[in-house]
Each structure stands twice: as C-alpha cells, then as structure tokens.
Amino acid sequence: MAPQYLDALVVGTGFSGIYQMKKLRDQGLKVKAIDKATDVGGTWYWNRYPGAMSDTNSFLYRYSWDHEDLVEYPWNTHYLQGPDILKYLQHVVKRHDLRKDIQFETEMQSAEWNENEGQWIVGLSTGETLSVKYLVTGLGLLSKANFPAIPNLDKFKGKLYHTANWPKDADLKGKRVGVIGNGSTGVQLITAIARQDEVKELFCFQRSPQYTVPAGNGVLSAEERQEINKSYEEIWDKAKQSYFAFGFEETARPTFSVTPEEREQIFEEAWQKGNGFRFMFGAFGDIAVDENANIEAQEFIKKKIRQTVKDLEKARKLCPTELYARRPLCDSGYYEQFNRENVDIVDIKTNPIAEVTPEGVRTADGKLYELDVLICATGFDAVDGNYTRIAIRGRNGKSLKDHWSARGPTSYLGLMVSNFPNLFMILGPNGPFSNQPPAIEAQVEIITDLIGRAQKPSLSNGTTSTDGIDGSNSLHTNGHKVTNGVIEAEREAEDKWTQRCEELSAQSLFRRVDSWIFGKNIPGKKVAVMFYFGGLGPYIKEVKGLVEDNLKGFRIS
Ligand code: NA7
C-alpha cells in the first residue's frame, strides 16, 4: 500500500508542536502531528513529578498569539505548577480544534529523505509509513532521559523512577526514599516531598551542590492581573526584544560599580523578589562572565545557605564549591528542608555510590542506605539526544548522528541542518538560551514563513526556473526533474552559525562547568556549544534579517 501523503508532519505536541500544527494548518497545508505520549503536553506530560513548576513568570509562560485567550485564561500565581501548564496546553488544543489531527502513542522511528520525490519517508512505531513533504520536529530540548550508569541499578527491588517519566501511581507515603540528582528537577522534587507526611525518610544523593535562590512564588491579585492584561502587547513586545524573556529588567550594571554595602543590598533585593534568572542577570550584568563578580554572587548565596541550614555538616555539604554558572535555579524552600530530621544529604562526590543493591544504595565507604523508592532526577541527554536516537537520514543516506559525530550538534539558526532538506527543528542546537515559549513561537513563525517561501520558488531567491510546471509538485529545469518546494540550509551557513555561537559563548563562565548546557553531563558526549548566547531579542532580529535578505544561507530548489 502506498504510504499516506502529508504536506507536513509535526513530531511532538508540546508547546512547539501545538503551535506549529496550527500555523501550518492555517497556511492550508495537509498536516498531522504525532506524539509518543497518550496526550499533549510534551515536557509537562512526562515530567509529572511532585513539585514540577515553571520558573518563568506565569504571564510569559504561555503563547502570545491568541490575545483573547491571553487575557481570559485564568491563572493567579506568579508561577505555574506542572499540572496547570498541562491543562493550559490541553485547553489551547481544544480551543483551536487541533486534537482531531493528532495521533497519540505514535513514535517516529525513522525518517529517510527521498531525493527523487523531494519527500521524507517516515516510519512510525505503529507500523505505518508516511510520505511527507515537510518534516517539522518539536522533540523538546530536554526529553531524552539520562539514567546514571551506576552498577546494578536494575537489581533494586524497590520502585525505581525517573522524574522524566513519572508514573501516575507513584506513592511515596511512609516510604524510605532516595533521590539522585539536585539540578532544577531534584531541587523541586526534594522540596515538594520532604515533609514527613509525604515520605518517612529522604536521602538526597548529591554529586555537585548547586546554587539556588528563592522562586518568590505567591498569589497574584486581581488588580495585578488586570494591569498585566491592560499592557499585554507591550509586555510581549518588550520580552521578545529582551535577552531572556523572563519579564524582569535585565541589567548591564557591573558588580564592582557599586560599594560592597550597595552590592549586598542589591543581592538581598533580588533574593527577596525571587527567581534564578533575575538573580543571575537582573542584579548585575557580569555574574556569568566575570569570575570575580561571580564569586560575589557565590558568597552571598553560600551565606544564605549557612544562615538557613542549622546542622553545620549538612550546610557544609550543601555549599557549592564551583562557579555559579549553570542554568540558574530557584526553589520554594529547598535549603529549609534539610532542617528536618527525616531529610539527609549524602555527598557522593567524595564518597561515590559504589552500587545499587536489592535493598538500596551502597556508597564507597560501605554504608548501605536502605530504600523503598529510588528516584533518578539525573537529567537529560539534552538538545541533540532526542534526534540522534532516531534514524534520520538526509542526502546520500547520511544520518544526522553521523553529521554531528565529529563536531557535536550544529545547525543553521537552530532550525535546519545542511543536507537535510525540508527538515526543520524547533529548539534545535544553537537556538536561543531563554524562556522557551517565546523562543518556540519565534521559531515556529520563521519555519512557517520558510515553508511558505519554499512553496513559492518564483517569489523567493529565484534559484529555480518555473518553466515547465507539470501540474504536480515538480518542476523541470534543463531537462531534470526538480521537486518543487525544497528548502535547505547551506553547509557554509551552518558552519558560520556554529562559529557565531562559539564566539557568543566564549566569555561565558557556563563553559567552565560540567552541565548539560555544553553537553558535559553525559559521559562520552561531545562537548560543544549548543545555544545561541546572544539573547532572544537579538536572535529574532538576526534570523528575520537573514530570511528577509533573500533567504541568506538557505537554498530553494
Ligand atoms: P540536570 O540539571 O542535568 O541535573 C541532573 C542532576 O543529576 C545533577 O545534580 C547531576 O549531578 C546528577 N547526576 C547526573 N548523573 C549522575 C550520576 N551518574 N551520579 C550522580 N548524580 C548524577 O537535570 P534536571 O532534570 O535537574 O534539569 C534539567 C533542566 O530541565 C533544567 O535546567 C530546566 O531547564 C529543566 P552533577 O551536577 O552532574 O554532578
């Protein structure tokens, strides 16, 4: 049977896929979306662990394109909890009648570019094959779960969970629980479950202590909401021109431009207001690039840890020793949890986990921590991890994995990869490092524009003659069959963009810390730049400029 033909297939139905589907459908394309999950939500579908919360202000953690919905949809806290975000996305899907074109419990297993037809042949987990003109992936930056390579992890006879695949029936009540990992996820989870009526005992296995500041969550009054509603367009405009789109005033003020007393006061204000990005980028402008400035921020946070955690030994273990240069964290009372008698911190940097036994976790010193539940909050093979596990083959049968094997993940504008025509990535490598929904919106709109331009070759950069249109989706130039509507990134443009991202991140202290942002969290993974560090606003401007400049760096055939 001939494969089903689609103008566009959207893979994934999180923030990215939902909007992409709508945009392409509005453009008149025959489009369908697939998702491995049983419902929409992406990240928020999978990461349903207790305490999951967005740490972007609620008014910017949503879509901006539906003004009526923006002002009407109810929310009344500074931050949204995971289940609220999931409900919001389900609501958007219903409101725009998108569900009828989504096929759930369906995974893309392979995608192969067919040069003759100018189409992708996509193999699905259901056994179906699709023939697709435009393949748009919204796989998520953080979706391939990373399990720690700890001996005998599979021998544990209690319950073993990963936060990125949280089971609906998880039950921690009265249980002895171990958590490995204390990144954004671990910090949220530990804070949410530490109370004794939640767990009996909690052991936090910590390899690298992290800096975290208060989130500053709270109820938003009806008046505040009204104010936001009144100036929503202005708020979005400003956010989309800013670096991080978190909704706070970003600053260039150098840390040492003020007296030590003023500095203390500015840090204190940022601490009281809350939010990790605000603390790192809203108090001073050089914390992420100047080591001495960074030390000032480190010392301030460490002082807070010592003031909060009463047990000196626990406080010592919780104080980081490295640069404050990972994705900035915030919490709803993380350090306070360690004042509970049922909560302990286990330093596995100096005393690593030797093995998991059927009963629990044994550290190198021989001590066994008996557990009923072991939770891995150990993060993700971020950015490219979700692409390289799928057999995606472009021109000449070369896979994306091979394309990236030597240099790490690269792309042109975070959107396309050379020799992979008509394959688009939302949040691909070297996209903006910022609040994600507005970055996603910008990329979806640019992808939609590119597809629109590709379909009208005579109106674009004119590389194709329209002579001999045969009524199908093919053109004939110089006697060769050339498929209409094929767009691709040039290799040179991809190289230049990678170089640009290298340069933009060169000064960043983030490069010097072993986190997922440069691919350093996965043993054996190629360390590489994976983000455009120039800010969301400049990214949008730069990318739109290149598209308007006669599709610079792209080729249409
Ligand atoms: P992260 O930030 O990558 O954190 C993972 C945590 O797990 C971190 O504390 C790691 O320690 C720890 N980890 C990972 N592997 C191991 C092994 N093998 N042994 C012990 N500990 C380990 O992931 P998150 O899910 O918290 O957050 C990812 C992003 O999701 C976050 O930034 C938000 O944007 C949303 P390490 O620091 O490597 O020593």
Side-chain angles (χ1 to χ4, degrees):
M1 203 170 73
Q4 185 195 349
Y5 171 80
L6 293 171
D7 294 328
L9 176 70
V10 175
V11 188
T13 58
F15 265 99
S16 301
I18 290 172
Y19 186 35
Q20 188 66 77
M21 252 192 100
K22 165 142 180 44
K23 287 295 283 181
L24 293 176
R25 199 176 69 178
D26 289 353
Q27 197 150 299
L29 267 62
K30 184 178 177 198
V31 53
K32 178 169 164 174
I34 54 168
D35 201 305
K36 171 167 97 169
T38 58
D39 205 342
V40 299
T43 286
W44 301 102
Y45 173 94
W46 294 103
N47 288 267
R48 280 191 272 194
Y49 59 85
M53 182 186 95
S54 151
D55 62 359
T56 305
N57 267 305
S58 305
F59 63 90
L60 290 173
Y61 203 77
R62 53 192 58 253
Y63 295 120
S64 72
W65 46 267
D66 184 344
H67 186 78
E68 194 181 272
D69 199 44
L70 203 53
V71 295
E72 280 175 3
Y73 191 80
W75 48 269
N76 64 353
T77 46
H78 293 304
Y79 300 102
L80 299 174
Q81 304 297 323
D84 298 332
I85 303 169
L86 206 50
K87 260 193 230 146
Y88 166 71
L89 291 173
Q90 287 164 345
H91 153 83
V92 173
V93 166
K94 189 165 179 211
R95 181 174 161 88
H96 296 281
D97 195 21
L98 295 166
R99 197 171 283 272
K100 64 179 193 299
D101 292 321
I102 305 175
Q103 185 174 322
F104 293 108
E105 295 179 84
T106 304
E107 207 175 342
M108 174 167 85
Q109 288 186 326
S110 64
E112 196 149 342
W113 175 248
N114 180 326
E115 191 75 58
N116 285 331
E117 297 302 323
Q119 286 170 11
W120 284 94
I121 306 302
V122 179
L124 305 179
S125 56
T126 53
E128 295 159 277
T129 305
L130 302 175
S131 179
V132 173
K133 181 107 206 168
Y134 300 105
L135 179 57
V136 190
T137 54
L139 303 180
L141 272 184
L142 297 149
S143 39
K144 186 183 170 197
N146 170 44
F147 272 93
I150 298 173
N152 303 326
L153 191 59
D154 57 336
K155 300 284 185 320
F156 182 58
K157 71 172 175 8
K159 299 277 186 201
L160 179 68
Y161 302 145
H162 194 294
T163 45
N165 192 3
W166 193 256
K168 282 190 178 141
D169 60 352
D171 179 17
L172 308 177
K173 291 248 183 302
K175 302 277 179 7
R176 299 164 303 173
V177 177
V179 175
I180 304 176
N182 52 291
S184 194
T185 303
V187 163
Q188 289 186 337
L189 173 77
I190 289 165
T191 310
I193 65 174
R195 287 198 341 251
Q196 218 156 3
D197 54 354
E198 290 289 343
V199 297
K200 185 172 170 214
E201 281 181 294
L202 180 60
F203 295 100
C204 306
F205 297 97
Q206 170 197 265
R207 192 164 62 181
S208 314
Q210 288 218 48
Y211 300 90
T212 159
V213 309
N217 201 4
V219 174
L220 191 92
S221 67
E223 293 73 44
E224 286 174 295
R225 177 70 204 269
Q226 249 176 11
E227 277 308 306
I228 291 169
N229 277 355
K230 259 199 263 165
S231 43
Y232 235 138
E233 280 178 27
E234 212 176 292
I235 289 173
W236 275 116
D237 277 355
K238 210 168 158 191
K240 287 178 186 172
Q241 286 175 45
S242 72
Y243 273 63
F244 301 106
F246 266 71
F248 60 83
E249 212 56 56
E250 295 160 1
T251 180
R253 172 173 54 198
T255 300
F256 296 104
S257 64
V258 298
T259 65
E261 294 72 28
E262 285 167 339
R263 192 153 52 240
E264 181 74 10
Q265 197 192 333
I266 291 166
F267 276 139
E268 184 62 35
E269 274 167 20
W271 181 273
Q272 295 304 336
K273 274 193 185 149
N275 191 297
F277 273 78
R278 187 205 305 273
F279 192 88
M280 191 182 268
F281 301 106
F284 297 102
D286 52 359
I287 289 174
V289 290
D290 178 316
E291 189 163 352
N292 288 326
N294 194 274
I295 290 171
E296 293 294 311
Q298 292 172 28
E299 290 306 323
F300 182 88
I301 300 174
K302 284 196 255 191
K303 184 189 74 188
K304 291 288 190 187
I305 299 173
R306 292 188 200 104
Q307 284 170 357
T308 309
V309 182
K310 300 202 175 76
D311 180 310
L312 291 180
E313 186 53 13
K314 283 185 184 173
R316 187 189 63 76
K317 287 182 190 163
L318 286 162
C319 277
T321 49
E322 60 179 25
L323 288 165
Y324 176 37
R326 294 168 179 244
R327 182 226 193 271
L329 305 189
C330 61
D331 64 82
S332 306
Y334 174 67
Y335 295 122
E336 285 82 346
Q337 305 312 316
F338 295 92
N339 290 330
R340 297 177 187 279
E341 276 181 15
N342 65 320
V343 180
D344 205 357
I345 182 92
V346 183
D347 169 10
I348 55 166
K349 179 83 108 201
T350 52
N351 182 25
I353 298 177
E355 62 166 340
V356 172
T357 74
E359 292 75 33
V361 164
R362 192 188 303 282
T363 44
D365 61 358
K367 181 165 178 180
L368 176 68
Y369 294 85
E370 289 187 38
L371 302 171
D372 304 306
V373 180
L374 179 56
I375 303 172
C376 296
T378 42
F380 302 88
D381 182 353
V383 186
D384 56 323
N386 232 10
Y387 285 92
T388 49
R389 70 188 178 84
I390 306 169
I392 301 176
R393 294 188 181 279
R395 285 242 158 81
N396 308 318
K398 195 173 172 187
S399 73
L400 203 47
K401 195 173 174 182
D402 288 342
H403 183 82
W404 286 341
S405 63
R407 298 186 304 169
T410 55
S411 79
Y412 183 44
L413 314 178
L415 300 173
M416 293 197 91
V417 176
S418 57
N419 281 319
F420 291 80
N422 287 5
L423 170 70
F424 296 90
M425 297 177 293
I426 307 165
L427 303 183
N430 291 333
F433 181 70
S434 70
N435 174 24
Q436 298 296 289
I440 288 168
E441 270 191 37
Q443 291 196 330
V444 164
E445 285 162 16
I446 293 161
I447 289 169
T448 310
D449 182 22
L450 290 172
I451 291 177
R453 288 171 190 249
Q455 287 183 303
K456 292 181 205 143
S458 54
L459 298 179
S460 62
N461 65 354
T463 51
T464 305
S465 152
T466 48
D467 290 349
I469 293 177
D470 66 359
S472 71
N473 64 352
S474 298
L475 308 174
H476 300 280
T477 52
N478 305 327
H480 296 291
K481 187 179 179 202
V482 179
T483 311
N484 187 4
V486 175
I487 181 165
E488 60 195 292
E490 286 168 351
R491 177 63 193 243
E492 203 193 352
E494 183 179 341
D495 290 348
K496 274 194 191 155
W497 185 253
T498 309
Q499 186 56 32
R500 172 124 180 81
C501 292
E502 276 289 341
E503 285 160 12
L504 284 168
S505 69
Q507 301 305 316
S508 175
L509 298 176
F510 277 50
R511 290 199 83 121
R512 290 171 44 192
V513 175
D514 291 347
S515 81
W516 61 268
I517 294 187
F518 282 87
K520 294 191 193 174
N521 63 328
I522 303 293
K525 184 167 172 165
K526 180 100 194 145
V527 173
V529 63
M530 297 207 288
F531 287 96
Y532 171 97
F533 271 56
L536 178 65
Y539 169 84
I540 295 174
K541 203 168 161 217
E542 190 166 346
V543 174
K544 284 193 173 162
L546 289 163
V547 172
E548 287 305 326
D549 184 8
N550 207 15
L551 287 175
K552 200 163 185 178
F554 292 101
R555 194 167 51 224
I556 291 187
S557 49

